[in-house]
Amino acid sequence: MTEAQQGQSEPDVEARIAQVAFTAEGLAPAIVQQWDTREVLMLAWVDAEALRRTLTSGRATYWSRSRQEYWRKGDTSGNIQVVREARLDCDGDAILLLVDQTGPACHTGTRTCFDTTDLGAVDGSATS
């Protein structure tokens, strides 16, 4: 991208970020899905800067609430997330990132963070 193209796109990125209804702590949840299979991989948090980095770099960047720092997925593990699409929900308070995940998404080494405890919900389709 040329410098002129970057200058033209910055206000557009800022306008898109301004649409997000961040919490009082300045965060919004980002639900992360594999772009082609729609498999839910993880949930993470972003602030305006993490979202800006994600939208402008093509790599998923998050805010670590425990470490109080930014982390770009895969920089230490090699399990990168290349962003294919980013969407805002109807209320503007949650972000959906569709990514191409390399390796496991979960810090435990599993493909998804949602493959552990089954909470045993009743199958609603069986009760009419």
Side-chain angles (χ1 to χ4, degrees), residues 5 11 15-16 27 51 64-65 71 77 87 96 106 109 115 120:
Q5 288 171 319
R16 287 180 275 151
L27 300 173
L51 183 56
S64 171
R65 295 179 302 164
W71 56 283
S77 67
R87 295 182 164 273
L96 175 64
C106 188
D115 64 354

Side-chain angles (χ1 to χ4, degrees), residues 73-93:
K73 184 70 172 165
D75 277 355
T76 57
S77 67
N79 301 321
I80 67 170
Q81 292 176 343
V82 175
V83 177
R84 299 294 292 261
E85 195 173 336
R87 295 182 164 273
L88 191 58
D89 80 336
C90 60
D91 296 321
D93 60 0

